[in-house]
């Protein structure tokens, strides 16, 4: 197992300062890990230790999280700025392209980054994160997905960040553990690490939801139902491998059904006994899947 170093910061040309942890050495192939909500770089610690022997494995705290910059304004979390962070981080690490492994919100960004900047991505490995078009279609037309995604509108509402941290982060914990079938991974050490991260602020993570137009409709906003997305503009030209915990209560398995409309080189691996949090629940299985996906 490679040693993880978590004392690194990248000052990006756009003015954002991102914290990151890494294993391996610069010059090895870059394997970039992008976390979701309400996570931080530590979500990938098992993967950094495993792949640092063969890759430069890097896991940043995304903008708004943990030790990275946390702009207060919602507009700072528009997709164009988040994608700019990814591209500039890759360059600041000394690379022009990389392999991206991503989950949840990190996966949403990775899909869009691969769509817009295929020359920067060697291959995309996505874990329980859906392509933007099927997700928007599901939120607009599928009552089951609309119901599963109502938490997004709760997070978008004023005061959600305060509610998440009350009573020793009770709601934040329920958001993570309530969507999983196997919360045994959330041991005392992991809990302490997440509480330390959350104590630094959750507004940035919540602002991802507020800045996005892809959400269930409300009385005041059409959300995804008001979007018109041309599928031809959302093709992914790089190889894509998808790992999906089928017990995901937020992103339903039906979101996978039309992925082949957008990706020619696609392999989907379904895991019936895993949830949205498969990265935490089954790290060894995730490592095997990544290793296989790097070569096939």
């Amino acid at each position: 197992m490679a040693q993880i170093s978590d004392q690194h910061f990248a000052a990006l040309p756009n003015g954002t300062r991102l914290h990151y942890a890494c294993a391996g050495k610069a010059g090895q192939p870059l394997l970039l890990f992008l976390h979701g909500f309400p996570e931080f770089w530590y979500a990938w610690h098992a993967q950094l230790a495993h792949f640092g022997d063969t890759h430069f494995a890097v896991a940043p705290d995304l903008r708004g999280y943990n030790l990275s910059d946390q702009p207060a304004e919602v507009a700072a979390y528009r997709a164009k700025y988040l994608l700019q962070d990814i591209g500039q981080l890759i360059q600041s690490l000394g690379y022009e392209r990389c392999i991206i492994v991503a989950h949840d919100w990190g996966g949403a960004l990775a899909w869009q980054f691969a769509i817009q900047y295929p020359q920067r991505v060697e291959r995309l490995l996505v874990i329980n994160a859906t392509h933007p078009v099927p997700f928007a279609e599901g939120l607009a037309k599928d009552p089951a997905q609309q119901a599963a995604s109502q938490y997004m509108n709760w997070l978008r509402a004023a005061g959600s960040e305060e509610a998440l941290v009350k009573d020793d982060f009770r709601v934040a914990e329920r958001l993570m553990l309530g969507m999983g079938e196997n919360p045994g991974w959330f041991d005392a050490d992991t809990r302490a690490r997440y509480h330390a991260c959350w104590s630094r602020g959750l507004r940035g993570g919540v602002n991802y939801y507020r800045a996005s137009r892809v959400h269930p409709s409300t009385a005041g906003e059409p959300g995804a139902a008001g979007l018109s997305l041309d599928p031809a503009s959302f093709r992914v030209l790089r190889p894509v491998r998808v790992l999906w915990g089928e017990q995901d209560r937020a992103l339903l398995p039906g979101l996978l059904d039309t992925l082949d409309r957008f990706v020619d080189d696609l392999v989907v691996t379904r895991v019936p006994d895993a949830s949205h949090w498969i990265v935490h629940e089954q790290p060894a299985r995730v490592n095997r899947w990544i290793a296989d996906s790097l070569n096939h």
Side-chain angles (χ1 to χ4, degrees), residues 123-141:
R123 61 178 52 212
L124 177 61
L125 281 55
V126 181
I127 303 171
N128 283 77
T130 184
H131 184 286
V133 175
F135 189 44
E137 292 173 345
L139 291 177
K141 303 174 184 178

Side-chain angles (χ1 to χ4, degrees), residues 103-270:
H103 169 248
D104 188 75
W105 257 109
L109 297 177
W111 276 112
Q112 195 62 47
F113 189 79
I115 290 165
Q116 293 190 22
Y117 307 105
Q119 73 279 9
R120 308 299 305 280
V121 180
E122 291 184 26
R123 61 178 52 212
L124 177 61
L125 281 55
V126 181
I127 303 171
N128 283 77
T130 184
H131 184 286
V133 175
F135 189 44
E137 292 173 345
L139 291 177
K141 303 174 184 178
D142 180 6
Q145 186 59 61
Q146 291 167 353
S149 296
Q150 286 305 312
Y151 74 94
M152 299 177 70
N153 285 337
W154 182 85
L155 288 169
R156 288 170 55 83
S160 63
E161 56 266 62
E162 289 83 4
L164 287 165
V165 305
K166 284 180 62 176
D167 302 323
D168 201 25
F169 306 103
R170 180 176 62 88
V171 176
E173 286 192 9
R174 286 178 58 190
L175 187 65
M176 291 188 74
L177 305 182
M179 285 200 292
E181 299 297 335
N182 179 20
W185 60 268
F186 201 70
D187 57 20
D189 178 66
T190 302
R191 186 174 191 261
R193 289 176 180 271
Y194 272 89
H195 280 207
C197 169
W198 296 338
S199 69
R200 297 183 179 105
L202 281 168
R203 177 180 294 179
V206 168
N207 279 346
Y208 280 59
Y209 294 91
R210 293 173 177 153
S212 175
R213 294 186 297 162
V214 183
H215 59 85
S217 299
T218 66
E221 290 186 275
L227 298 178
S228 179
L229 303 180
D230 177 11
S233 299
F234 287 85
R235 291 197 56 78
V236 182
L237 303 180
R238 309 307 299 161
V240 178
R241 304 294 179 259
V242 176
L243 183 69
W244 201 272
E246 292 194 302
Q247 299 302 315
D248 195 326
R249 298 177 182 176
L251 300 173
L252 304 184
L255 294 170
L256 301 172
D257 292 346
T258 60
L259 275 185
D260 56 2
R261 287 191 294 162
F262 308 99
V263 186
D264 292 331
D265 188 348
L266 173 69
V267 178
V268 177
T269 302
R270 299 171 182 258

